[in-house]
Amino acid sequence: MKQILPLYFIMGSQDCKLDPAFTLTEAIKGGITCFQFREKGPGSLQGTEKVALGRKLQRICRESNIPFIVNDDIELANTLQADGIHVGQDDMPIEEVVHKFVGNIIGLSVHTVEEAKQAATHNIDYIGVGPIFPTGTKKDAKKPVGASHIHTIRDAGISTPIVGIGGITKQNAHHVIQAGAEGISLISAISMSDYPQLAAKQLKAILTLA
Ligand code: TZP
Ligand code: MG
């Protein structure tokens, strides 16, 4: 997990300023360590178009040995034989995901210490803690918890690998790492950039310095 989580890029076509395949290719050149396909919300593709984009982005990840993780959609994750699935608290119960997903990596979004404790009992591979900072990308996001919340989770004795999520930019990424996270996961800081490769490179540089 330590190699996979540092710079975890998430996106779907609805998040991209430029072409999604181009954005992902550039982000990979810039040094992302993991990719999550999250085709969701207003403007997102559905049905066969969603599957086709998933396949295309998965192929790009495979060429560079970047783990390909699917958000929410366990059927799609199994069809594509994705490397991982990521679910939230309101998705399918985690026991069911553990039972049904045939791939490797299972990630879960958590907001509270209690949810993080629950994740640990289910042997989840990593948890996404957030939103850390205010985000404009997820319209129904909960109240930001701040980077110190990662500290609080660690202090509660939880050693599950953590990625921070929500509003992470090159200006604040170091706080997330310094608070004890194994990585940063982000959408708009790369997907809305005119230069996704450069954006990823700059974030990667911050991780090395933090
Ligand atoms: N979950 C909590 S915040 C968030 C998700 C999916 C959105 C993160 O997007 P951004 O653009 O990195 O703030
Ligand atoms: Mg979800």
Side-chain angles (χ1 to χ4, degrees):
M1 277 295 126
K2 282 205 186 333
Q3 274 92 50
I4 293 176
L5 297 178
L7 186 52
Y8 184 149
F9 178 42
I10 305 170
M11 63 88 164
S13 63
Q14 74 283 342
D15 303 311
C16 289
K17 186 161 184 185
L18 308 172
D19 172 71
F22 175 77
T23 303
L24 178 58
T25 306
E26 289 295 297
I28 291 174
K29 284 186 201 158
I32 63 162
T33 52
C34 180
F35 174 66
Q36 181 190 125
F37 179 51
R38 183 176 177 278
E39 191 67 29
K40 192 175 180 175
S44 58
L45 302 173
Q46 310 292 325
T48 52
E49 282 187 327
K50 176 181 173 184
V51 179
L53 179 61
R55 268 191 216 291
K56 187 172 181 182
L57 299 181
Q58 181 180 35
R59 212 172 302 129
I60 293 169
C61 284
R62 278 204 177 140
E63 280 165 12
S64 300
N65 269 322
I66 298 297
F68 176 84
I69 294 178
V70 170
N71 181 277
D72 279 5
D73 190 338
I74 194 157
E75 208 179 300
L76 179 65
N78 280 338
T79 304
L80 297 183
Q81 295 184 286
D83 301 300
I85 179 122
H86 184 97
V87 293
Q89 295 290 326
D90 302 329
D91 298 318
M92 180 186 283
I94 198 67
E95 296 87 341
E96 207 175 323
V97 177
V98 171
H99 183 68
K100 287 193 176 158
F101 180 55
V102 296
N104 234 328
I105 305 166
I106 299 180
L108 177 67
S109 296
V110 309
H111 187 66
T112 65
V113 173
E114 204 38 57
E115 288 168 356
K117 280 188 182 158
Q118 278 298 319
T121 67
H122 291 292
N123 262 323
I124 298 307
D125 296 290
Y126 72 90
I127 50 178
V129 176
I132 303 290
F133 306 113
T135 174
T137 306
K138 184 175 154 81
K139 297 298 171 222
D140 61 346
K142 298 205 168 105
K143 200 169 143 274
V145 291
S148 64
H149 195 57
I150 293 168
H151 247 134
T152 310
I153 290 175
R154 287 282 180 249
D155 286 349
I158 295 156
S159 55
T160 310
I162 292 177
V163 286
I165 183 160
I168 299 174
T169 63
K170 57 185 182 196
Q171 281 76 29
N172 60 26
H174 62 284
H175 293 300
V176 181
I177 298 301
Q178 285 165 5
E182 274 71 20
I184 51 174
S185 61
L186 33 79
I187 301 178
S188 56
I190 295 177
S191 74
M192 292 304 288
S193 171
D194 285 316
Y195 305 100
Q197 181 179 162
L198 181 64
K201 259 192 189 136
Q202 289 174 335
L203 286 156
K204 196 73 180 272
I206 290 158
L207 293 177
T208 343
L209 296 172

